[in-house]
Amino acid sequence: MARKRGGLVRRVEPGSLAEHLGVEPGDSIVAVNGRRLRDEIDFRYLTADPDVTLLIRKRDGSQEAYRIDKDPDEPLGVSFQDPLFDHMKTCKNNCVFCFIRQIPKEMRKSLHVRDDDYRMSFLHGNFVSLTNLDAADWARIEEQRISPLRVSVHTTDPELRQVLMSNPEAAKIMDHLERLTRLGIRLHAQCVLLKGLNDGDNLLRTLSDLESLGESMVSVGVVPAIYTRYRAVTPSPRMDPEWAGQVLEMIETYADGALKRRGSYWVYGADEFYLVSGRPFPPHPYYGDFHQYENGIGIVADFRRSLEAEEEVRRASGSATHAETRGAVAGQIVVGPVGRRGTRKALAVTGEMAAGEVRSAVHRMGVDKQVSVCPVKNTFFGDSVTAAGLLTGQDIISAILEFGRKTDLREYGVIAVPGVALFNGKFLDNCKLADITRATGIGAVAVEPCPASLREIATLGEESIPHVG
């Protein structure tokens, strides 16, 4: 049942139609043109009309209706506290490789929510299984042409997919994908690969089946199954360099053929396959529009391209000024004291997987004397989990203190942490930046994982970013 309060307004854009109407944060938009809103998609779809009537519940509980004549493409200028105004559709599968089932139960409740909502796929790029769609969902996808969608396919073999996902509905994957294709929905697929199960010939079959869907299947990303230390028995062997190289050989061979048939490489292997195998990364153009970037695919290539751009700036100007590189500090706030510009060094924290790339960037940018790199071993989830986005605050603190046993931490004025490891200001273990500062005595800041961040923290001064606490 939809919540009566509708969509809770978080922000109103200055100068927008919504501001002109008097809409304020804390108000709720309940209905548009007489139709009660279920989510942000309804809001976008219904307000695309030139003649719009809004029903708004004000913060004091009163209700007001507004009629607007507008350009169909003109936005109202509001953002919502939550994109879903009713309940989220959760996962009905029990995938043998599910990461969420491999995290400690005592972690915050939101981390244990296994969402499988096609609306979040459209709004935020989440991958969904398509195993929980009912008739109303299909009718809505058709009416509103909710596209693109991202689908966790894994395999197109009906029996194997049913086994991998522990759900009979999973066997219908090609039926579901073909139906979406007929509706004109553009699709991106993900295949989580398990050694000895859905790799090899099975992967080739999956790619062939997905390519048969034509231009509607825009891209396919292949990523390895990841197992944490909380998984006592794994359904497949852990990734090793030889297997990672074999997977990439198969993917790149298929991609070469897809380039001739489709004009794009179309299928892409996770960066982790390249880092584990030692196989050279493809060049930046290989990844096209980087459709699978959020899936951990193409990040290294994009980082290297950004590094080349930074080097060009350096060559052109002799050295980049602080003002030229502003913006890499991810909108976060420094917590604790930061040394004055030029008096102390910066310590860049990253996951083990990216440490080599970051060190190379520091050297090529000529900031070796200003920036040191501190790789963090993931002891919380296990050392097979190497991504920076899955670092915990306690592991970061441990790594910095261990680093301090070899180097005097008093030389450092700021600790730069990858912003992707934080959600709503917290790490996965509920630690905050302030906890890092308290434990190390050094101001901490979250930064974008890009070369510009390295140049900015190399020159970060006390007056650059406001302090808190």
Side-chain angles (χ1 to χ4, degrees):
M1 180 180 296
R3 292 180 293 182
K4 291 182 178 180
R5 66 184 180 90
L8 182 64
V9 175
R10 178 178 62 86
R11 186 173 187 275
V12 178
E13 295 293 334
S16 65
L17 283 173
E19 184 183 58
H20 178 73
L21 292 173
V23 178
E24 299 176 304
D27 294 345
S28 295
I29 303 180
V30 178
V32 176
N33 294 342
R35 292 178 60 172
R36 185 170 291 273
L37 301 179
R38 295 162 288 188
D39 46 51
E40 187 177 330
I41 301 175
D42 272 347
F43 176 76
R44 292 184 191 181
Y45 179 74
L46 295 170
T47 57
D49 289 344
D51 188 359
V52 172
T53 300
L54 300 176
L55 178 62
I56 297 177
R57 179 176 289 111
K58 305 296 289 184
R59 288 178 294 180
D60 62 6
S62 63
Q63 289 196 162
E64 297 182 21
Y66 301 92
R67 184 176 178 277
I68 311 167
D69 291 321
K70 57 184 275 295
D71 244 353
D73 295 329
E74 185 178 6
L76 288 182
V78 299
S79 56
F80 297 100
Q81 192 71 33
D82 190 325
L84 305 184
F85 311 156
D86 57 7
H87 67 280
M88 179 183 287
K89 294 176 77 73
T90 54
C91 186
K92 296 181 178 180
N93 311 308
N94 186 17
C95 297
V96 298
F97 51 83
C98 179
F99 185 83
I100 294 177
R101 291 185 179 276
Q102 301 179 65
I103 61 178
K105 293 182 179 179
E106 61 270 18
M107 298 184 75
R108 63 179 183 268
K109 290 182 179 180
S110 61
L111 295 176
H112 294 276
V113 176
R114 299 191 304 130
D115 71 275
D116 195 19
D117 199 309
Y118 71 94
R119 298 173 298 173
M120 295 299 286
S121 181
F122 170 71
L123 290 169
H124 291 293
N126 297 6
F127 282 92
V128 293
S129 69
L130 305 181
T131 59
N132 61 1
L133 299 183
D134 56 28
D137 294 328
W138 282 106
R140 185 182 181 192
I141 291 171
E142 180 175 7
E143 177 198 5
Q144 297 184 346
R145 290 295 189 271
I146 298 175
S147 175
L149 294 177
R150 295 178 176 269
V151 183
S152 290
V153 174
H154 312 314
T155 178
T156 54
D157 181 308
E159 291 76 20
L160 179 57
R161 191 170 192 261
Q162 180 176 332
V163 170
L164 291 179
M165 303 179 75
S166 304
N167 186 345
E169 188 68 22
K172 303 176 183 177
I173 181 60
M174 283 304 293
D175 292 337
H176 293 329
L177 293 175
E178 288 168 356
R179 183 174 182 180
L180 290 170
T181 298
R182 290 194 296 271
L183 294 177
I185 307 301
R186 291 167 64 81
L187 302 165
H188 300 276
Q190 169 188 254
C191 296
V192 174
L193 214 61
L194 291 77
K195 185 178 181 181
L197 291 177
N198 60 340
D199 56 352
D201 289 342
N202 189 277
L203 175 59
L204 289 179
R205 168 186 169 172
T206 297
L207 295 178
S208 179
D209 287 344
L210 295 179
E211 191 177 6
S212 73
L213 298 171
E215 296 302 316
S216 291
M217 182 57 68
V218 179
S219 73
V220 180
V222 182
V223 302
I226 301 298
Y227 303 122
T228 75
R229 68 182 179 89
Y230 300 97
R231 185 67 180 264
V233 179
T234 61
S236 66
R238 297 178 187 272
M239 179 169 52
D240 59 78
E242 182 180 5
W243 180 68
Q246 292 169 352
V247 170
L248 289 176
E249 178 68 31
M250 184 173 292
I251 290 172
E252 290 183 351
T253 299
Y254 197 99
D256 287 339
L259 179 65
K260 297 175 183 177
R261 296 185 297 270
R262 305 171 60 95
S264 73
Y265 287 101
W266 184 72
V267 57
Y268 310 94
D271 286 8
E272 194 162 356
F273 282 128
Y274 288 95
L275 291 166
V276 169
S277 68
R279 191 181 179 96
F281 276 88
H284 191 273
Y286 176 90
Y287 295 96
D289 292 328
F290 285 77
H291 292 299
Q292 298 277 341
Y293 187 90
E294 300 299 330
N295 210 9
I297 297 175
I299 295 176
V300 170
D302 192 53
F303 183 89
R304 290 178 178 178
R305 171 58 65 86
S306 297
L307 177 57
E308 292 172 0
E310 285 289 316
E311 290 179 311
E312 289 175 7
V313 169
R314 185 184 178 200
R315 285 192 295 268
S317 62
S319 63
T321 66
H322 182 71
E324 288 170 333
T325 56
R326 284 291 293 165
V329 179
Q332 302 288 341
I333 299 176
V334 173
V335 178
V338 178
R340 288 195 177 276
R341 184 178 305 174
T343 62
R344 292 186 182 179
K345 298 170 65 176
L347 188 60
V349 168
T350 188
E352 288 186 310
M353 184 170 66
E357 291 294 323
V358 178
R359 284 197 183 100
S360 175
V362 167
H363 177 69
R364 288 173 57 180
M365 293 170 67
V367 293
D368 310 66
K369 294 182 179 180
Q370 294 86 22
V371 180
S372 298
V373 179
C374 179
V376 180
K377 183 177 182 179
N378 199 323
T379 58
F380 187 90
F381 287 117
D383 56 13
S384 63
V385 179
T386 57
L390 294 175
L391 292 178
T392 58
Q394 57 189 274
D395 279 340
I396 291 173
I397 292 170
S398 296
I400 294 170
L401 295 179
E402 178 63 28
F403 184 87
R405 293 189 180 96
K406 304 173 184 177
T407 305
D408 189 352
L409 288 180
R410 289 174 297 182
E411 297 178 7
Y412 295 89
V414 63
I415 296 170
V417 177
V420 292
L422 289 161
F423 181 73
N424 287 337
K426 293 183 179 181
F427 296 92
L428 290 172
D429 59 351
N430 286 326
C431 282
K432 300 178 181 179
L433 290 173
D435 296 315
I436 295 176
T437 293
R438 278 192 289 267
T440 64
I442 306 171
V445 61
V447 303
E448 296 288 348
C450 62
S453 297
L454 299 174
R455 190 177 301 285
E456 183 166 359
I457 63 172
T459 56
L460 187 61
E462 190 170 280
E463 69 276 24
S464 302
I465 298 177
H467 298 180
V468 297

